[in-house]
Amino acid sequence: MRNRRKNAARFFMPLILLAVFLISVMVLSGIERGRSGLARIQLEETVRKTALTCYAAEGMYPPDLEYMKDRYGLHFDEKMYQVYYDVFGANLMPDITVLEKGGQCGGNEGNGM
């Protein structure tokens, strides 16, 4: 009986350790996805606030991202994020979308305008 328990422990211990390892990897992966999603949301909010700052100061929304980079110090990691900034008119809030690169953008390496 005792020998049977030892054999069972030897059999199940690697399985238990493997399960713990896999669960740990999945949890850490989920945490990382949550962080990158939060950074994307924060960048989108930063672009929106920069556009509003320009509107308040100049009476018009910026015509493009380069304008905000040059005049308002907007900067972000262009290798990591694709920013779509679609202007409808100088007095209408632009449509701002930020996507993480790496599959979501379909490999588009445009200038984000």
Side-chain angles (χ1 to χ4, degrees):
M1 182 67 107
R2 192 172 198 172
N3 204 12
R4 190 178 282 172
R5 285 185 187 166
K6 285 183 182 179
N7 287 339
R10 284 184 186 147
F11 177 76
F12 286 114
M13 188 57 74
L15 293 177
I16 292 170
L17 291 174
L18 179 63
V20 168
F21 174 75
L22 291 175
I23 290 170
S24 299
V25 168
M26 290 180 352
V27 167
L28 291 175
S29 176
I31 290 171
E32 187 60 34
R33 276 194 303 267
R35 281 189 194 156
S36 66
L38 181 60
R40 184 195 58 78
I41 291 168
Q42 288 174 335
L43 175 57
E44 191 170 305
E45 192 60 32
T46 298
V47 174
R48 186 169 279 106
K49 286 180 181 180
T50 303
L52 286 170
T53 299
C54 177
Y55 185 78
E58 300 180 26
M60 66 170 206
Y61 286 103
D64 53 39
L65 287 174
E66 290 303 316
Y67 191 90
M68 288 189 280
K69 290 176 185 177
D70 294 342
R71 291 179 174 82
Y72 292 91
L74 176 68
H75 65 279
F76 57 92
D77 186 353
E78 294 184 35
K79 292 179 183 175
M80 189 167 192
Y81 298 101
Q82 180 73 42
V83 177
Y84 294 95
Y85 183 82
D86 296 319
V87 179
F88 305 111
N91 63 341
L92 297 174
M93 180 66 170
D95 182 35
I96 300 166
T97 304
V98 176
L99 298 175
E100 290 183 58
K101 288 187 177 180
Q104 291 100 330
C105 297
N108 184 3
E109 295 297 324
N111 61 4
M113 293 184 262

